[in-house]
Amino acid sequence: MNTPKVSSAKTNPQLSNLGFGLGLRTQHYNSILETKPNIDWLEVISENYMVPGGKPLHFLDRIRAEYPVVMHGVSLSIGSTTAFDKDYLRDLRKLVDRVEPAWISDHLCWTGVHGQNMHDLLPLPYTEETAKHVAERVGIVQDYLGRRILLENVSSYASYVDSTMTEWEFISLICEKADCLLLLDVNNIYVSSYNHQFDAKAFIDGVPTNRVQQIHLAGHHNHGDYIIDTHDAPVIDPVWDLYRHALSRFGSVSTMIERDDQIPELDELVQELQIARDITADYLSVSGKNELPKSDATVSSNLHHA
Amino acid sequence: MQQSPQTYTMLDLAQLQSEFQSYLIGHKNSTTFTTRIINDAKVGVNRRLAIYFDAYRLRIIEALATAYPKLKALLGDDLFNRIAREYIDDFPSTYQNMRWVGGNMREHLLYSIPEHPIAAEMAVFEWSLSLAFDAEDVAELRLQDLAEIPLEHWNALQLKFQPAIQIVRLRWNIIPIWKALDADEAPPALLQDSIYTSWLIWRRDFSSQFRSMGEMEAIALHMAMTGATFEEVCESLEGQEAETTAEEAMTIAAQYMAGWLQCGMIVSFTLLN
């Protein structure tokens, strides 16, 4: 195991900080390889590369040779009450072996039951029993993959009368029970806080500092009465403010911007990522900490957390 | 929030998920779970659930449009969207990867718009292109590998082909239409031929390639891909098209094989005893 070059402050020292990344999108394959832009790492949607072969895996291999990569899944369905899809887990592990990602994440949600997939990140009721169930399944996945995974808080549009705790209490309980890590999506916190009228800062203040391994930032679409998490626009100022708040609690954390629709030229996203770099630099200079990740960080791909 | 947390069980969660999923799929009668959703004056339970109901469809419609761009152009947005919505109702996804969701489009089109048989053929062609696109990677066999086989052993030669290869049989002028749409040009008028033509799809340099095949080549390739030896392929060609002789069949089969090799379609060979 190689020692990570950068550690995040106020967190478990075994966690590493990759710096500032972007979600890898097919439109940017060539620009990334040709221009080697100022991106520290890339996140790939696991399912897009769980195919037999061809161009997607070819580009993934080439980009992986140049950048640290993390894998982000959308179909694990960790909260389902029916059994895991064994083929999916097998294919996921095969991809992990190929990519050797710094870490693997999926969403704290369910996506379908009885062998069907709704291809959506559906909300769970926040109860003790649900947390116990999810934690058990996280344990199965972590044992199967031989490493800890990250769970991401999702944007939600409905909540349940049966919930007995807040979302952040629910997440904290699962992290504790399953000994897993957190991918904190600051935009999703904003979206859900708007949709369910809770205090977004209370969410950030309510999750354990030593579990946050990665932060997502993204844009969304505000319909007035509610917000839809569309990932088709730049990050808005209130979300940047929340990001500042997150930094003040978690210290510098591996941060990336997700764009899944209306995808602009790579330069535009690299520039947007600079805002995250600047905010982090400001935080670090004010807080007197000296742990800014290098922009050309060459962090090992073998950052074991298991 | 509920005041008696101990009453919530795994059975409740399982029932909630089953009913929520039924609602999304479109079984709107089974909606007792909606009483488990917090209702509010600002948005209300119906609009909140409609967000999920619509998102499920829009996401898969987008995936189908990505898998079938020329079919969409051929049908137009309105008809394509109607077809896609019906498809989602008839074939709820059982795939973890959205990439495979559109695999039943041909049969769906055959019974949903039988008056437009060209649509099913376009779907078959586009799906085959996509199968070739991300099929398993394999190394190509080199010409010199085959050249080293002594002539007397050729009859026992059995070939293995790249997994990307697809063979589709089309009766409509799908290819000129596909090419025109791909070039953002107006497609030619729809034409149906009296006979089917076999089209060969394979992959080279990470791009899907295609060309038409004569019936004799289609027979030879089908035989070779299903494990026939060179001798058996030759025998299948004898008597075809103007009474092909055994000697001619051998020459023709060797030419086909050379063509497949040049295209990078052959990956290995075996000499059967």
Side-chain angles (χ1 to χ4, degrees):
Chain A
M1 176 174 147
N2 296 313
T3 307
K5 289 191 173 175
V6 188
S7 298
S8 53
K10 296 165 71 175
T11 62
N12 187 327
Q14 75 187 106
L15 303 180
S16 58
N17 189 338
L18 295 179
F20 300 88
L22 288 177
L24 178 62
R25 304 293 177 255
T26 54
Q27 294 89 332
H28 298 146
Y29 283 163
N30 286 322
S31 328
I32 288 171
L33 288 169
E34 286 161 16
T35 66
K36 308 278 164 54
N38 184 22
I39 307 168
D40 300 332
W41 55 282
L42 290 154
E43 180 189 82
V44 300
I45 303 296
S46 309
E47 287 78 1
N48 290 352
Y49 301 92
M50 290 160 75
V51 291
K55 211 182 233 177
L57 285 167
H58 165 75
F59 275 104
L60 177 59
D61 288 345
R62 287 179 61 191
I63 287 167
R64 176 67 188 89
E66 305 283 342
Y67 291 90
V69 164
V70 306
M71 281 170 46
H72 185 51
V74 295
S75 294
L76 182 60
S77 201
I78 199 74
S80 285
T81 45
T82 51
F84 280 116
D85 181 328
K86 289 196 176 108
D87 291 343
Y88 175 82
L89 287 178
R90 185 202 57 215
D91 291 348
L92 183 65
R93 187 160 72 176
K94 200 171 146 196
L95 187 65
V96 168
D97 290 344
R98 180 176 186 135
V99 174
E100 297 184 343
W103 57 76
I104 306 154
S105 62
D106 205 296
H107 300 83
L108 179 49
C109 68
W110 64 286
T111 63
V113 285
H114 313 305
Q116 294 187 330
N117 193 349
M118 301 296 100
H119 300 285
D120 202 350
L121 310 171
L122 303 167
L124 290 161
Y126 309 135
T127 73
E128 289 270 351
E129 196 62 31
T130 312
K132 183 166 164 276
H133 172 66
V134 172
E136 282 169 6
R137 282 168 63 95
V138 171
I140 292 169
V141 174
Q142 293 188 147
D143 287 348
Y144 183 79
L145 297 176
R147 53 164 80 203
R148 283 199 279 177
I149 61 168
L150 282 64
L151 289 182
E152 176 184 349
N153 58 297
V154 298
S155 290
S156 64
Y157 313 103
S159 53
Y160 299 102
V161 294
D162 298 299
S163 288
T164 56
M165 61 185 87
T166 62
E167 184 179 358
W168 51 96
E169 287 167 342
F170 181 66
I171 289 172
S172 304
L173 192 57
I174 290 167
C175 283
E176 199 55 43
K177 281 178 187 289
D179 187 22
C180 63
L181 300 168
L182 257 181
L183 195 179
L184 201 66
D185 190 315
V186 173
N187 173 62
N188 290 356
I189 294 174
Y190 181 84
V191 170
S192 292
S193 74
Y194 189 97
N195 289 342
H196 307 302
Q197 296 180 295
F198 63 75
D199 177 6
K201 286 185 176 172
F203 189 123
I204 289 169
D205 294 341
V207 295
T209 55
N210 64 343
R211 299 284 176 184
V212 179
Q213 174 70 25
Q214 182 187 344
I215 286 179
H216 268 174
L217 296 163
H220 54 247
H221 189 83
N222 191 321
H223 291 261
D225 290 342
Y226 55 86
I227 292 177
I228 304 277
D229 185 22
T230 46
H231 294 188
D232 62 351
V235 178
I236 63 166
D237 285 343
V239 172
W240 286 122
D241 287 341
L242 270 184
Y243 179 57
R244 285 186 188 87
H245 187 74
L247 289 182
S248 70
R249 177 161 165 78
F250 307 115
S252 172
V253 177
S254 302
T255 297
M256 62 157 276
I257 295 174
E258 285 183 300
R259 187 70 76 86
D260 294 308
D261 208 349
Q262 307 292 324
I263 297 173
E265 294 293 322
L266 185 63
D267 284 353
E268 195 175 319
L269 292 176
V270 171
Q271 281 172 31
E272 193 180 15
L273 194 59
Q274 186 61 40
I275 302 173
R277 290 184 192 277
D278 293 344
I279 288 172
T280 303
D282 286 350
Y283 155 73
L284 292 173
S285 72
V286 169
S287 67
K289 298 192 180 345
N290 182 24
E291 36 127 13
L292 185 64
K294 293 175 192 169
S295 63
D296 62 345
T298 50
V299 180
S300 160
S301 62
N302 297 314
L303 306 172
H304 280 274
H305 306 299
Chain B
M1 287 182 193
Q2 197 181 42
Q3 295 306 306
S4 48
Q6 67 278 15
T7 61
Y8 199 81
T9 66
M10 282 301 297
L11 219 55
D12 293 322
L13 182 60
Q15 187 181 351
L16 171 79
Q17 292 182 342
S18 286
E19 292 187 4
F20 201 146
Q21 180 166 287
S22 291
Y23 163 80
L24 293 177
I25 288 171
H27 305 155
K28 286 196 168 178
N29 293 333
S30 58
T31 54
T32 52
F33 87 101
T34 56
T35 60
R36 311 322 296 163
I37 307 289
I38 293 177
N39 204 355
D40 63 319
K42 188 180 167 208
V43 184
V45 65
N46 290 335
R47 281 169 76 202
R48 288 180 180 277
L49 287 175
I51 293 171
Y52 287 105
F53 187 86
D54 294 340
Y56 166 60
R57 280 154 188 78
L58 293 175
R59 197 169 284 119
I60 296 181
I61 289 171
E62 191 183 340
L64 294 173
T66 302
Y68 296 105
K70 308 300 190 288
L71 175 67
K72 185 178 178 184
L74 188 65
L75 297 178
D77 289 356
D78 289 348
L79 182 54
F80 181 83
N81 287 342
R82 195 199 88 198
I83 296 281
R85 282 178 184 276
E86 291 168 1
Y87 181 88
I88 293 163
D89 292 341
D90 289 353
F91 298 97
S93 172
T94 55
Y95 302 100
Q96 303 309 319
N97 190 343
M98 193 103 90
R99 184 252 176 276
W100 306 110
V101 164
N104 297 300
M105 187 55 85
R106 174 185 170 272
E107 57 180 300
H108 178 66
L109 290 166
L110 283 176
Y111 69 73
S112 66
I113 46 168
E115 68 277 21
H116 299 301
I118 191 170
E121 284 202 359
M122 181 61 89
V124 167
F125 182 64
E126 290 203 282
W127 191 252
S128 298
L129 286 178
S130 79
L131 291 176
F133 176 76
D134 58 13
E136 189 185 347
D137 299 301
V138 282
E140 295 173 10
L141 190 69
R142 297 165 308 163
L143 185 59
Q144 58 261 43
D145 296 327
L146 275 188
E148 287 164 9
I149 302 171
L151 274 180
E152 61 268 27
H153 291 160
W154 269 61
N155 275 345
L157 186 64
Q158 190 184 44
L159 302 174
K160 191 177 173 200
F161 291 82
Q162 61 166 244
I165 293 174
Q166 308 288 321
I167 299 168
V168 296
R169 287 168 62 76
L170 306 174
R171 203 173 166 189
W172 290 83
N173 56 335
I174 294 296
I175 306 302
I177 293 170
W178 187 94
K179 284 181 173 171
L181 293 171
D182 198 50
D184 276 333
E185 292 167 4
L190 314 186
L191 284 175
Q192 189 187 32
D193 205 340
S194 56
I195 55 160
Y196 281 90
T197 300
S198 293
W199 285 83
L200 168 64
I201 298 162
W202 75 102
R203 190 174 77 211
R204 194 109 200 238
D205 299 331
F206 300 107
S207 293
S208 300
Q209 315 282 324
F210 54 86
R211 68 170 171 86
S212 63
M213 288 189 292
E215 272 313 284
M216 277 181 68
E217 184 179 3
I219 291 167
L221 182 58
H222 175 76
M223 292 283 294
M225 286 184 68
T226 50
T229 60
F230 184 73
E231 184 178 30
E232 289 164 338
V233 171
C234 292
E235 284 168 4
S236 74
L237 297 180
E238 275 180 52
Q240 298 276 344
E241 288 184 12
E243 311 254 318
T244 308
T245 64
E247 197 177 329
E248 287 167 343
M250 195 178 290
T251 307
I252 292 168
Q255 284 169 350
Y256 289 152
M257 215 161 74
W260 302 334
L261 194 70
Q262 278 173 357
C263 290
M265 287 166 51
I266 303 174
V267 297
S268 65
F269 68 87
T270 312
L271 289 173
L272 293 186
N273 291 323

